[in-house]
Amino acid sequence: MRVLLIGSGGREHALAWKLAQSPLLKALFIAPGNAGTARLHAPGVEIANLPVDVSEKPALVATALEKKIDLVVIGPEAPLAAGLADDFRVKGLAVFGPSRAAAEIESSKVFAKEFMQRRRIPSAKFSTFHDFNRALAYLQELERPVVIKADGLAAGKGVILPENPGQAEAALRQIMIEKTFGAAGDKVVFEEKLAGPEVSLFGFTDGTTLKATIPAQDHKRIFDGDRGPNTGGMGAYAPVPVCAPAMAEKITRDVLQAAVNGLREEGRPFVGVLYGGLMLTSEGPKVIEFNCRFGDPETQVILPLLESDLLEILMACATGRLAEVDIQWSKGAAASVVIASDGYPGKYPVGRPIAGLDQNTPDSFIFHAGTKEQDGRIVTAGGRVLCATGWGENIEQALKSAYAAIGPVRFEGMHYRKDIGRRAVTGILHG
Ligand code: AMP
Ligand code: GLY
């Protein structure tokens, strides 16, 4: 099979790495990829980056046709929200990734909240506003802690957890008046603030059948002890002790399968991976957000634990045959530590040479995220630069391997959290 994978992050390097292990794979092109995907090798398989950006829809479709692609896999949310999967499907190509309409489960928080309410999927209570003055009046009346969310895509920065009414009003002004997130801020959602440990659970789906992965936990804040601003994710581990198999099954049935059924019944069949971000509250699991794609860095811990053929699973989803596929998971654990540029999630420098990248071991791998090749050297090219992943029989061993893999890695200003997975090891749930 000939595969075109779209994206350039750590998630896409992990997808490419796992796809490259498939005996079904003949050729893999990554558009645009990163320095890690450029260096992937598999015997008898053609693997190459193609310099086409994820926003160049006509060029991507032309590339897929020219390269005689059998399956297109779309990694990030922005091209999905822009309808890239639809553009490929119009040409008769098999695609792993939802249509623009199905991707609204992530790209519009107002749609997602109203959908969950209609389908009785457990989630925080909410109100939505189109008008700044009405939103402000509501905020001023409110006596409970609130979470403020811009409606549209905002690269993980559109969620504000204000600590006092002044901060809440300032956030509302930024979103609706100053338009910090552009049109994503035309509408806002206010949500009841929930409490409890967080878990990410993904489901592979062909639009009807859904098969869940094992749960993972992300670490969203930039600094140790969950301090500082939210990021795209600074590390992850899987499985998650606070989300035992019975809980994962409940979430699979009441949240993921319920959403896939609802989307299909409402004429927006969802094909791809549905990401449920949940909080395990005292009243049971509640959805914080849905995403229409794999999580990053959760994918980097989930895929090393997948024993089945990823290409077979993705192809089965794209062609409506997921019910026929058996998915097997390892009994072990995996942990990932993101290595970021100084300044991230704010402004950060790029072009810094990276040393110590050739040390992968049988129980670790360094996935690239924001890297590129420049004059024969690998340099930094993003906020999240690398994702060191380790695996083993349990989380302690996985963490040990992940941190050992970071040992030789060096670039100026590198920053990573030292406490990934600590909660799972010490049994402290959150806080
Ligand atoms: P999101 O981008 O929707 O994943 O939100 C970012 C983070 O904000 C989540 O990982 C949670 O930690 C937090 N968050 C979002 N919604 C809520 C809520 N309703 N109650 C408490 N925390 C929330
Ligand atoms: N790690 C969070 C996300 O992918 O949205």
Side-chain angles (χ1 to χ4, degrees):
M1 264 188 244
R2 301 172 62 82
V3 178
L4 173 63
L5 170 64
I6 291 166
S8 62
R11 164 183 53 213
E12 285 76 22
H13 190 190
L15 285 163
W17 171 83
K18 192 69 192 175
L19 287 171
Q21 296 168 18
S22 170
L24 304 172
L25 189 71
K26 285 268 159 44
L28 174 61
F29 301 101
I30 309 102
N34 58 37
T37 59
R39 300 205 307 171
L40 265 181
H41 293 288
V45 182
E46 179 186 6
I47 304 183
N49 283 355
L50 299 174
V52 190
D53 189 73
V54 304
S55 62
E56 295 176 58
K57 294 200 290 174
L60 289 168
V61 173
T63 301
L65 295 172
E66 180 201 322
K67 298 280 186 194
K68 302 202 169 3
I69 293 300
D70 299 300
L71 176 69
V72 182
V73 180
I74 305 176
E77 65 276 17
L80 291 165
L84 182 59
D86 308 75
D87 294 2
F88 286 118
R89 286 197 181 102
V90 164
K91 299 289 182 193
L93 289 155
V95 186
F96 182 85
S99 65
R100 180 205 298 259
E104 274 199 45
I105 193 93
E106 172 169 2
S107 67
S108 168
K109 293 211 189 277
V110 173
F111 171 78
K113 292 299 292 186
E114 291 174 351
F115 172 77
M116 285 187 267
Q117 195 173 46
R118 281 198 293 282
R119 311 305 306 198
R120 300 187 197 290
I121 295 171
S123 176
K125 293 195 188 73
F126 72 105
S127 324
T128 61
F129 289 92
H130 305 235
D131 178 80
F132 172 75
N133 289 317
R134 285 184 186 210
L136 186 62
Y138 175 89
L139 258 192
Q140 287 166 343
E141 291 288 302
L142 204 68
E143 278 161 12
R144 299 180 303 275
V146 69
V147 179
I148 306 179
K149 300 187 176 184
D151 175 49
L153 294 181
K157 293 177 193 157
V159 175
I160 288 120
L161 297 132
E163 283 168 13
N164 54 54
Q167 277 183 12
E169 192 177 319
L172 186 65
R173 258 178 220 288
Q174 276 184 356
I175 296 172
M176 293 195 93
I177 305 284
E178 291 156 33
K179 297 275 182 207
T180 318
F181 309 116
D186 289 349
K187 297 183 225 167
V188 291
V189 177
F190 293 132
E191 268 183 33
E192 154 203 23
K193 190 169 179 181
L194 303 174
E198 284 183 52
V199 58
S200 308
L201 188 63
F202 307 156
F204 293 110
T205 180
D206 59 8
T208 302
T209 301
L210 177 130
K211 296 195 176 182
T213 67
I214 42 184
Q217 192 172 59
D218 189 10
H219 298 58
K220 291 247 163 75
R221 306 294 196 96
I222 186 76
F223 298 125
D224 285 14
D226 293 329
R227 287 175 302 110
N230 264 329
T231 68
M234 291 299 290
Y237 63 88
V240 185
V242 291
C243 186
M247 175 64 83
E249 277 163 32
K250 181 178 166 60
I251 297 170
T252 302
R253 186 185 62 233
D254 297 348
V255 173
L256 298 177
Q257 183 73 60
V260 163
N261 293 349
L263 288 167
R264 188 184 62 251
E265 285 164 22
E266 294 185 11
R268 308 173 184 240
F270 186 106
V271 172
V273 67
L274 181 63
Y275 168 135
L278 292 116
M279 210 165 243
L280 307 181
T281 76
S282 54
E283 297 172 357
K286 293 195 181 181
V287 177
I288 292 284
E289 62 166 350
F290 279 118
N291 291 321
C292 65
R293 48 156 179 94
F294 286 102
D296 188 343
E298 292 96 321
T299 304
Q300 292 90 310
V301 294
I302 296 289
L303 294 183
L305 299 175
L306 176 63
E307 287 180 346
S308 306
D309 183 341
L310 179 65
L311 180 49
E312 190 188 356
I313 298 169
L314 302 188
M315 193 63 178
C317 290
T319 54
R321 294 181 297 100
L322 185 60
E324 297 164 24
V325 179
D326 181 40
I327 304 181
Q328 294 294 328
W329 297 96
S330 143
K331 297 270 175 287
S336 274
V337 182
V338 169
I339 312 176
S341 300
D342 51 335
Y344 175 77
K347 283 201 172 67
Y348 50 82
V350 292
R352 291 183 163 166
I354 310 171
L357 283 175
D358 294 309
Q359 319 275 333
N360 293 316
T361 67
D363 53 9
S364 72
F365 193 86
I366 296 186
F367 294 112
H368 289 225
T371 67
K372 66 173 188 186
E373 277 188 53
Q374 193 173 287
D375 308 324
R377 289 190 307 186
I378 296 182
V379 301
T380 65
R384 293 191 291 177
V385 177
L386 301 163
C387 181
T389 299
W391 46 84
E393 275 174 27
N394 52 43
I395 289 173
E396 285 91 332
Q397 281 185 16
L399 284 164
K400 210 169 149 205
S401 306
Y403 279 106
I406 296 181
V409 175
R410 291 276 177 279
F411 63 86
E412 194 188 334
M414 67 188 256
H415 163 73
Y416 60 92
R417 280 180 59 163
K418 316 286 187 299
D419 66 343
I420 300 303
R422 190 167 293 166
R423 266 180 233 143
V425 175
T426 58
I428 298 167
L429 299 188
H430 63 98

